[in-house]
């Protein structure tokens, strides 16, 4: 997010922010992290690993691969972090410390439906440029993935992942065909 010394600096010009999305060499999204990483790997290596493709027996129904689940699973299975168990670090291993803040108390999460309409309108106004940039990035990534699928002749963005992405981003105004609505549930006015 953009920030400066003045309150007016907190909102960059929408056109410049969206143009930056279109001029970037690569756009990835956390909500489509696996697919974003596959796109990056293809661009870097010129080849797409089979793990990036939707499972053949499922057609476009979905692949069960996650590049992050491999490293998390191997760590969970060993019970060790990288560098533990005799390798790495001075003295044959690394030490971990847990730091907590006893004065910090977790509060109950608010639901959007609990917020007054005036608050939702203010949040929408404050994040209008953010929503436009996210929307441009999402459309760009979806187009890049479609072009990749055309090049390799196989599905990379599987149907269940599209459904998950649509559900996770339904609040973004204009992303799924409607320019009406609001990021946070207000009227968008």
């Amino acid at each position: 997010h953009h920030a400066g010394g003045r309150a007016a600096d907190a909102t960059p010009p929408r056109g410049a922010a969206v143009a930056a999305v279109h001029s970037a060499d690569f756009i990835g999204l956390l909500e489509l992290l696996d697919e974003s990483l596959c796109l990056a790997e293809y661009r870097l290596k010129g080849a797409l690993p089979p793990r990036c493709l939707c499972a053949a027996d499922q057609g476009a129904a979905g692949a069960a691969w996650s590049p992050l689940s491999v490293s998390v699973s191997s760590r969970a299975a060993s019970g060790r972090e990288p560098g533990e168990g005799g390798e790495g670090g001075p003295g044959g291993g690394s030490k971990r410390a847990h730091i907590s803040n006893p004065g910090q108390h977790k509060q109950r999460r608010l639901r959007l439906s609990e917020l007054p309409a005036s608050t939702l309108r203010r949040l929408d106004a404050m994040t209008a440029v953010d929503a436009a940039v996210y929307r441009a990035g999402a459309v760009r990534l979806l187009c890049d993935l479609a072009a990749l699928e055309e090049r390799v002749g196989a599905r990379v963005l599987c149907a269940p992942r599209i459904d998950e992405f649509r559900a996770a981003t339904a609040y973004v105004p204009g992303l799924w065909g409607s320019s009406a609505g609001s990021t946070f549930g207000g009227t968008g006015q």
Side-chain angles (χ1 to χ4, degrees), residues 154-180:
R155 296 288 304 200
V156 175
L157 181 56
C158 308
R161 294 285 290 148
I162 295 170
D163 293 341
E164 290 169 11
F165 181 59
R166 182 184 291 263
T169 58
Y171 68 92
V172 179
L175 183 57
W176 299 109
S178 171
S179 59

Side-chain angles (χ1 to χ4, degrees), residues 14-25:
R14 181 187 304 239
V18 171
V21 169
H22 295 297
S23 66
D25 290 334

Side-chain angles (χ1 to χ4, degrees), residues 60-170:
W65 170 78
S66 169
L68 299 179
S69 65
V70 175
S71 61
V72 171
S73 297
S74 63
R75 259 187 262 155
S78 70
R80 294 186 302 231
E81 293 289 326
E84 289 186 308
E87 75 269 358
S94 61
K95 296 180 181 179
R96 292 187 292 170
H98 177 75
I99 300 171
S100 65
N101 180 353
Q104 183 179 12
H105 301 286
K106 288 190 175 184
Q107 298 294 321
R108 182 181 69 81
R109 289 184 117 188
L110 288 175
R111 298 185 192 288
L112 290 177
S113 61
E114 298 172 334
L115 296 175
S118 61
T119 301
L120 296 173
R121 284 191 298 275
R122 288 179 61 204
L123 287 170
D124 282 339
M126 289 172 31
T127 60
V129 174
D130 298 313
V133 169
Y134 184 88
R135 185 174 51 250
V139 170
R140 160 87 187 273
L141 178 60
L142 293 172
C143 289
D144 289 352
L145 289 170
L148 173 63
E149 290 177 341
E150 181 71 26
R151 257 184 248 122
V152 299
R155 296 288 304 200
V156 175
L157 181 56
C158 308
R161 294 285 290 148
I162 295 170
D163 293 341
E164 290 169 11
F165 181 59
R166 182 184 291 263
T169 58

